[in-house]
Amino acid sequence: SKSETRVMEEVLTISAQSSITDFFVVDSIINIHFIKSLLPKLAELRQTAGYDFTFFFETKSNLKRSQIRTMRDAGINSLQPGIEAIDNEILKLMKKGSTAARQVQCLKLLAECEIIANWNLIFKLPLEKPQAYHNTRAAMPFLHHLPPLHGEGMIPMLLNRYAPYHNTPGLFAIENIRPLPWFDRVFAKP
């Protein structure tokens, strides 16, 4: 990831040159070290210098309350916390390293800090069992007080480059990985 100094320079430069204060950071999960280094500096700029920065980041769901508060204070008002299941068996299949309870806890903490949680449920996973989705459906009424699913809500599993399904397909009974036919019309061949 970029250094804390470079990120700060880019935010300040873009803001000064174009009056943009809303940043939508994509293509990588926030460096966890930024919570202690970069984010307090952004929070200080917001509090003392009057900068009105807001940010969207992707993150993992294993955040603590104090980390989420730091994010809020730095202007992060929207997160995609990598919540893609609320069933332990599905989470194990995804190799998320989390539990359903931890996913729900993350949603609760984000709601407490008034940070928008962009989350969804992924289905059509290799080796999945239908019972897992019955469990998810049964759990949903107990989550009515938490933020709803992201706009798309339920999405089929995609095979993204560098994700565990792509890097170790044999573990998931995935074979014959190839780009979709329309990729040839979008991307130039090397």
Side-chain angles (χ1 to χ4, degrees), residues 42-56:
L42 289 171
E44 184 178 339
L45 283 175
R46 288 170 51 86
Q47 293 165 0
T48 61
Y51 284 93
D52 191 24
F53 296 131
T54 61
F55 297 91
F56 164 88

Side-chain angles (χ1 to χ4, degrees), residues 29-30 58-63 80-82 96 106:
I29 293 173
I30 187 171
E58 294 179 14
T59 184
K60 294 191 175 194
S61 63
N62 61 343
L63 299 169
Q80 183 176 339
K96 280 287 191 179
C106 181

Side-chain angles (χ1 to χ4, degrees), residues 45-133:
L45 283 175
R46 288 170 51 86
Q47 293 165 0
T48 61
Y51 284 93
D52 191 24
F53 296 131
T54 61
F55 297 91
F56 164 88
F57 278 100
E58 294 179 14
T59 184
K60 294 191 175 194
S61 63
N62 61 343
L63 299 169
K64 297 175 184 152
R65 179 177 273 113
S66 61
Q67 293 172 315
I68 292 174
R69 285 182 180 149
T70 299
M71 290 177 159
R72 178 200 58 209
D73 294 345
I76 295 176
N77 62 356
S78 182
L79 281 175
Q80 183 176 339
I83 297 174
E84 298 163 334
I86 53 170
D87 176 82
N88 288 329
E89 292 305 313
I90 295 293
L91 289 165
K92 284 179 191 172
L93 279 176
M94 292 178 168
K95 302 216 181 288
K96 280 287 191 179
S98 187
T99 64
R102 185 68 205 119
Q103 305 288 67
V104 171
Q105 175 73 1
C106 181
L107 290 172
K108 176 182 166 276
L109 294 174
L110 291 171
E112 286 177 4
C113 288
E114 299 180 350
I115 296 176
I116 296 167
N118 297 287
W119 67 288
N120 52 55
L121 297 174
I122 294 179
F123 64 98
K124 288 192 175 180
L125 297 163
L127 309 174
E128 70 184 8
K129 294 183 177 142
Q131 183 59 42
Y133 295 102

